[in-house]
């Protein structure tokens, strides 16, 4: 019996285009982002989802609503799936963050296990793992043998995929990048878990 978890990143947003860090702050989907969500909805239209769980951020909820379409299933919003908090950095352009906090940015990019969030006053990657993994484990237990759709954010997806691959925080950036409105499928059964990104298995 397989339990299938589909992890989807929201579509492109206005701040994505402007090169601004969103984190817990928000911006709406662009026209491209809306089209990305609609195209993904068509690609997964034949999957009989039991439920949809979404980050409570509006960009994720908006994406989830396009994916839900006319399905008669619940859409549950939760802060457990919110993007990693960067607090003081949020709303700033990446170029500005690079100029103001070069050492912290280098740390999170190259030595993520050592990133302590003192400069941003937000979360560490371990913080993200410790709030998101228990939530996912809970819904996996409640939906054994079913298809579960989860709409969330890039870093949360990377943390979850890395965790279920057996990685440590040090390896969190390894693996495929998370494009807008892209999907990872994690297939759980008695033999363990198989992970697919856009249909191709991630080894």
């Amino acid at each position: 019996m397989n339990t299938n978890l589909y992890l989807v990143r929201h579509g492109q947003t206005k701040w994505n285009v402007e090169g601004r860090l969103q984190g817990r702050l928000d911006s709406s989907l662009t026209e491209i982002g809306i089209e990305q969500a609609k195209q993904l909805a068509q690609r997964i239209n034949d999957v009989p989802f039991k439920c949809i769980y979404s980050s409570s951020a509006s960009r994720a909820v908006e994406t989830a609503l396009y994916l839900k379409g006319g399905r008669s299933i619940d859409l549950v919003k939760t802060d457990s799936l919110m993007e990693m908090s960067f607090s003081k950095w949020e709303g700033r352009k990446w170029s500005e963050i690079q100029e103001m906090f070069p050492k912290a940015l280098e740390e999170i990019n190259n030595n993520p296990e050592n990133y302590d969030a003192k400069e941003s006053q937000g979360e560490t990657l371990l913080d993200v793992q410790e709030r998101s993994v228990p939530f996912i484990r809970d819904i996996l237990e409640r939906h054994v043998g079913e298809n579960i759709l989860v709409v969330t954010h890039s870093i949360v997806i990377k943390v979850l995929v890395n965790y279920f691959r057996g990685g440590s925080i040090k390896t969190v950036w390894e693996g495929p990048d998370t494009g807008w409105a892209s999907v990872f499928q994690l297939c759980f059964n008695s033999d363990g878990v198989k992970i697919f990104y856009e249909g191709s298995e991630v080894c």
Side-chain angles (χ1 to χ4, degrees):
M1 179 184 297
N2 293 336
T3 302
N4 293 294
L5 179 71
Y6 291 76
L7 297 174
V8 170
R9 184 187 178 191
H10 61 79
Q12 183 196 72
T13 71
K14 292 181 179 179
W15 278 14
N16 288 149
V17 175
E18 293 175 7
R20 294 185 186 277
L21 175 58
Q22 293 177 117
R24 294 298 181 92
L25 296 184
D26 220 346
S27 67
S28 58
L29 297 185
T30 61
E31 290 300 318
I32 290 175
I34 291 171
E35 185 59 31
Q36 290 168 339
K38 289 179 177 178
Q39 289 180 5
L40 178 57
Q42 292 179 349
R43 300 208 310 272
I44 63 175
N45 185 57
D46 294 335
V47 181
F49 290 109
K50 184 68 175 180
C51 54
I52 304 176
Y53 293 90
S54 173
S55 156
S56 49
S58 66
R59 61 191 185 274
V61 175
E62 188 177 357
T63 301
L65 287 170
Y66 283 110
L67 302 183
K68 181 176 184 290
R71 302 173 193 256
S72 298
I73 54 176
D74 291 334
L75 195 170
V76 180
K77 307 169 193 176
T78 174
D79 289 347
S80 296
L81 295 171
M82 287 281 279
E83 181 58 296
M84 181 172 174
S85 170
F86 287 95
S87 193
K88 290 171 60 178
W89 292 5
E90 294 175 1
R92 298 182 186 272
K93 289 192 174 183
W94 281 107
S95 57
E96 185 181 2
I97 297 169
Q98 176 65 58
E99 183 177 336
M100 296 177 67
F101 309 102
K103 290 184 179 179
L105 197 58
E106 181 181 6
E107 195 81 275
I108 192 172
N109 286 331
N110 299 320
N111 300 289
E113 72 279 14
N114 295 329
Y115 175 72
D116 59 16
K118 287 182 180 178
E119 295 283 356
S120 70
Q121 296 183 12
E123 291 181 296
T124 66
L125 287 150
L126 183 60
D127 291 332
V128 176
Q129 179 173 293
E130 289 180 342
R131 69 169 160 84
S132 62
V133 169
F135 178 82
I136 294 298
R137 285 199 174 281
D138 180 62
I139 64 174
L140 287 171
E141 290 176 3
R142 286 191 279 124
H143 297 286
V144 174
E146 297 174 344
N147 298 304
I148 312 160
L149 180 58
V150 168
V151 184
T152 181
H153 308 268
S154 180
I155 295 177
V156 176
I157 291 172
K158 283 188 170 293
V159 166
L160 289 170
V161 170
N162 179 66
Y163 176 84
F164 285 110
R165 287 178 70 185
S168 66
I169 296 299
K170 185 176 182 178
T171 61
V172 71
W173 303 134
E174 296 180 6
D177 197 10
T178 48
W180 294 306
S182 61
V183 57
F184 276 91
Q185 178 189 354
L186 281 64
C187 180
F188 296 86
N189 57 38
S190 58
D191 295 326
V193 58
K194 285 190 174 182
I195 301 175
F196 303 87
Y197 179 65
E198 292 292 335
S200 297
E201 186 168 2
V202 177
C203 299

